[in-house]
Amino acid sequence: MGSPLVKGFGQGDPALARWAEEVFAPEDAVLREIRERSARAGLPPIAVGPMDGLHLEVLARAAGARRAVEIGTLGGYSGVCLARGMGPEGVLHTFELDPARAALARASFERAGVAGQVRVHVGPALERLREVEGEGPFDLVFVDADKQGYPAYLAWAEEHLRVGGIVLGDNAFAFGHVHERAPAGEDAAAVAPLRAFAERLARGGRFRATMLPTAEGLAMGVKVA
Ligand SMILES: C[S@@+](CC[C@H](N)C(=O)[O-])C[C@H]1O[C@@H](n2cnc3c(N)ncnc32)[C@H](O)[C@@H]1O
């Protein structure tokens, strides 16, 4: 199944989703251009959806985030949303394995006028995260990369978020299979690490957490210990 091409919003009713997008206008011309340019460059359509991007911006604003980490940059769509949410005082460190994607993201950050706030780190996130640890503790960590890595990314967030900081994890529903004990199909390998992420977030004692019921599921925890 994987990520849906069109990421709906609320109750699965396309008309309701259209209404929400009309009223809340989550995607301006800059974000639309980033999405379209990413598609023309051959990137898979796995960026967050427009309403998810708006959630990220609003959550970053609500948290008063000034120092954030994003794991999984792709073409920079969600990074622009986070940078906008933090404002000109904010700094976003974003990690991307693929150099071509990182280059496209840098162009997106330029185009959105946030390049001065964003540092793109290229390579396996778990190795490269060490480079920024001295700049912590962080206010916000957004996890949206390889699913096998989610438990380790959460462990990193536990250590490097400030108390009161927030961790966000996209694809928290594991493409609709997070609750299944014996998942089958192309997403099966992603289910166990995504479930481990959610269970540790919910029960590990370091976060007060919930799952926002977006199309993909957005896990969210506030660090309490
Ligand atoms: C779902 S996409 C990120 C989408 C992006 N957050 C957005 O919404 O615009 C996941 C990205 O993580 C990258 N990735 C995969 N494994 C990684 C790793 N070990 N370290 C860093 N990035 C990784 C992939 O190349 C891909 O571009």
Side-chain angles (χ1 to χ4, degrees), residues 136-158:
F138 294 93
D139 303 310
L140 184 153
V141 173
F142 174 48
V143 181
D144 190 20
D146 58 306
K147 306 312 165 210
Q148 299 300 324
Y150 267 49
Y153 299 141
L154 180 59
W156 190 89
E158 284 176 6

Side-chain angles (χ1 to χ4, degrees), residues 46-48 56 70-79 95-98 101 123-126 142 144-147 153 170-171:
I46 54 174
V48 298
L56 293 176
E70 174 182 63
I71 303 172
T73 315
L74 193 68
Y77 189 99
S78 56
F95 293 80
E96 173 54 52
L97 184 63
D98 180 330
R101 294 179 179 185
L126 262 189
F142 174 48
D144 190 20
D146 58 306
K147 306 312 165 210
Y153 299 141
D170 200 23
N171 306 107

